[in-house]
Amino acid sequence: MGYNAKKDLYELVDRVRRNAGISIGTPIRVLSLCQTLRDVSVVFHEFDTQGFCGAAFAGPKENTIVLNNTRSRIEQNFDCGHELIHLLKHRGLNGGIFQCFSTQNSFLEWEANEGSAQLIVPYQDFIPRFVSCLQSNYPVWGIQEELAEFYGVSSQVIRIRLNSLSYEIDQYRRGVPLEGLELLSRSKQQKRGIHPTCYDALLDFPLDWCSTIG
């Protein structure tokens, strides 16, 4: 089957949750988590540079996460998760220094973003919760806001999560149990000719969800 970057990343993130004693069904505040870690120091500073989210510096004894104080608390929480993934998974790269902007696009940045999303919005809780909303009488237009409030993230993060997990959501809706889901990145899906339902786009339209599976 070869290396599965998404599965490997999610397993790392899930270990972080388990080690912290935080269950999958409990919304996590990464800022609070990092402040309990002995080897991680979180620093806030106001940056004027547009699009600058934060930075991570891996040290031999103490690691430092710098967050942009001009961003909202919700954004800082996700940014903190992003930088934490850099420290956990990439500390041996880039000299252990990572400066992160909203416009960056690389494999390391994908891992940091995807890892932060799994840490804060774990698929094991998110997929059943999302599908339950679809099967209920909950208004479609309110699902995104409901989930964003529950997990403490922006609506955009929910949309990105739906896009990232669309293949896994399709599997779950077909009856595959959570522990049996095949986790695949978008690039792997494209190579295999898989075209999942575009859930983030469908949120904008009043469709019959129960019969829509792509």
Side-chain angles (χ1 to χ4, degrees):
M1 295 291 291
Y3 176 68
N4 188 324
K6 188 173 183 178
K7 184 174 183 291
D8 179 72
L9 176 65
Y10 280 15
E11 287 176 350
L12 169 67
V13 172
D14 290 349
R15 285 198 298 273
V16 173
R17 264 188 175 267
R18 287 197 300 271
N19 291 340
I22 303 173
S23 69
I24 287 295
T26 302
I28 190 171
R29 300 297 179 260
V30 189
L31 284 167
S32 298
L33 172 63
C34 285
Q35 289 167 352
T36 67
L37 300 177
R38 295 181 179 180
D39 60 345
V40 176
S41 175
V42 180
V43 178
F44 296 89
H45 185 77
E46 290 193 12
F47 293 93
D48 295 328
T49 304
Q50 187 174 8
F52 181 77
C53 301
F57 302 90
K61 293 185 179 180
E62 184 176 80
N63 307 290
T64 302
I65 292 176
V66 181
L67 299 177
N68 191 344
N69 217 20
T70 65
R71 289 169 64 80
S72 71
R73 200 66 172 175
I74 285 178
E75 290 172 325
Q76 288 174 352
N77 194 52
F78 189 88
D79 296 342
C80 191
H82 177 108
E83 304 304 338
L84 181 61
I85 298 301
H86 276 316
L87 292 174
L88 292 171
K89 203 168 195 309
H90 308 142
R91 61 184 302 111
L93 304 173
N94 289 350
I97 299 175
F98 304 91
Q99 299 182 54
C100 304
F101 295 82
S102 59
T103 56
Q104 283 177 294
N105 183 20
S106 70
F107 179 69
L108 296 186
E109 291 306 302
W110 172 80
E111 283 198 315
N113 280 326
E114 190 75 13
S116 183
Q118 173 62 12
L119 184 60
I120 302 172
V121 189
Y123 80 89
Q124 299 97 323
D125 183 79
F126 177 75
I127 291 177
R129 192 175 296 276
F130 173 67
V131 172
S132 177
C133 287
L134 298 184
Q135 295 173 341
S136 69
N137 292 322
Y138 200 90
V140 172
W141 54 264
I143 292 177
Q144 179 179 322
E145 287 71 20
E146 173 75 13
L147 294 173
E149 182 177 355
F150 177 79
Y151 291 108
V153 296
S154 66
S155 295
Q156 182 63 17
V157 168
I158 295 300
R159 281 189 174 270
I160 292 172
R161 205 70 179 122
L162 288 172
N163 183 57
S164 173
L165 293 172
S166 55
Y167 174 55
E168 291 80 3
I169 294 172
D170 279 351
Q171 294 176 66
Y172 185 79
R173 293 183 69 198
R174 292 189 180 103
V176 180
L178 284 170
E179 60 273 15
L181 295 180
E182 180 182 36
L183 302 173
L184 280 185
S185 65
R186 276 290 182 177
S187 60
K188 288 268 189 180
Q189 292 173 36
Q190 291 170 358
K191 289 179 181 178
R192 286 171 49 177
I194 298 172
H195 303 286
T197 305
C198 188
Y199 290 99
D200 61 317
L202 290 176
L203 279 180
D204 296 325
F205 301 95
L207 300 178
D208 181 0
W209 283 95
C210 293
S211 62
T212 302
I213 299 197

